[in-house]
Amino acid sequence: VRATMHNDLLFFTDKGKVYQLKTYDIPEGKRATRGKSIANFLSIAQDEHITSILPMPKEIKKSDDLSVTMVTRQGIAKKVEASSFYDVRRNGIIAIGLKDDDGLIEAMFTSKGDTVVVASKKGQSIRFKESDIRQMGRTAAGVRGFNLKKGDEVVSAGVVTKESNNPRLFTFSSKGYGKQTSM
């Protein structure tokens, strides 16, 4: 994660919650040091796992076109105005309403003109414009972003910015095979 010492870091978990921490609250370490558990800094539950870390821009206004787009394991996609996460309570807030058997896979910043790419465990992928998803409130569940086949689930998602020149999709299998494809 690339951030300055004055950025707020947003930590999104698989349970659909988001936590906030100042970058300067994380201790600086040397190359050989092990580091400290994130549980020392955030009040996350024991069965909760961090899936995405986003550095919040310092100056964000309601008029900005910056959004946070989220994708769940079952292919649900949701877009929320980034300013909704400007001030997060110490014990976290709900970022997305999830069903019991679902979990947040990825959260990413998107702007107007960006494209979202979602990939599944069985090798399927889809891409769509961020404008295809309407903005929702924080606790909303989202909309269907990917129709998955039986036994399939989303494993990754990413954003292709409008400034990208000749973007490529890198795919890697669990057995070590990899390939790149032009977008």
Side-chain angles (χ1 to χ4, degrees), residues 59-121:
E59 295 295 321
I60 191 164
K61 302 171 190 75
K62 287 238 185 234
S63 61
D64 287 350
D65 67 345
L66 192 65
S67 300
V68 176
T69 301
M70 295 169 263
V71 180
T72 72
R73 187 179 305 117
Q74 291 183 350
I76 302 297
K78 178 182 173 184
K79 185 170 74 170
V80 180
E81 193 173 298
S83 60
S84 300
F85 301 108
Y86 187 70
D87 193 27
V88 178
R89 292 189 303 269
R90 185 86 178 138
N91 58 348
I93 58 173
I94 295 171
I96 183 171
L98 296 172
K99 294 180 183 172
D100 291 336
D101 56 344
D102 204 359
L104 184 64
I105 294 294
E106 192 76 45
M108 57 210 134
F109 284 125
T110 55
S111 297
K112 287 188 172 115
D114 290 348
T115 303
V116 177
V117 180
V118 182
S120 77
K121 184 163 91 176

Side-chain angles (χ1 to χ4, degrees), residues 142-157:
V143 296
R144 173 71 52 199
F146 196 154
N147 270 332
L148 297 165
K149 295 179 180 169
K150 188 174 178 147
D152 203 2
E153 63 185 34
V154 172
V155 292
S156 183

Side-chain angles (χ1 to χ4, degrees), residues 11 17 42-43 87 96 102 104 132 136 138 142-143 151 181:
F11 294 84
K17 288 185 80 176
L42 301 176
S43 56
D87 193 27
I96 183 171
D102 204 359
L104 184 64
D132 289 347
M136 301 171 208
R138 270 191 315 99
V143 296
T181 312

Side-chain angles (χ1 to χ4, degrees), residues 5-73:
M5 291 300 267
H6 298 290
N7 280 120
D8 291 329
L9 295 175
L10 298 177
F11 294 84
F12 290 85
T13 69
D14 59 346
K15 303 291 184 194
K17 288 185 80 176
V18 61
Y19 299 88
Q20 188 175 34
L21 185 66
K22 298 276 187 200
T23 305
Y24 57 75
D25 287 338
I26 299 173
E28 191 171 338
K30 305 283 186 246
R31 191 171 62 94
T33 58
R34 189 166 170 212
K36 291 189 177 185
S37 171
I38 196 67
N40 294 335
F41 306 103
L42 301 176
S43 56
I44 61 174
Q46 229 173 13
D47 63 337
E48 215 169 359
H49 303 290
I50 295 170
T51 58
S52 298
I53 303 171
L54 300 176
M56 189 70 157
K58 197 67 184 152
E59 295 295 321
I60 191 164
K61 302 171 190 75
K62 287 238 185 234
S63 61
D64 287 350
D65 67 345
L66 192 65
S67 300
V68 176
T69 301
M70 295 169 263
V71 180
T72 72
R73 187 179 305 117

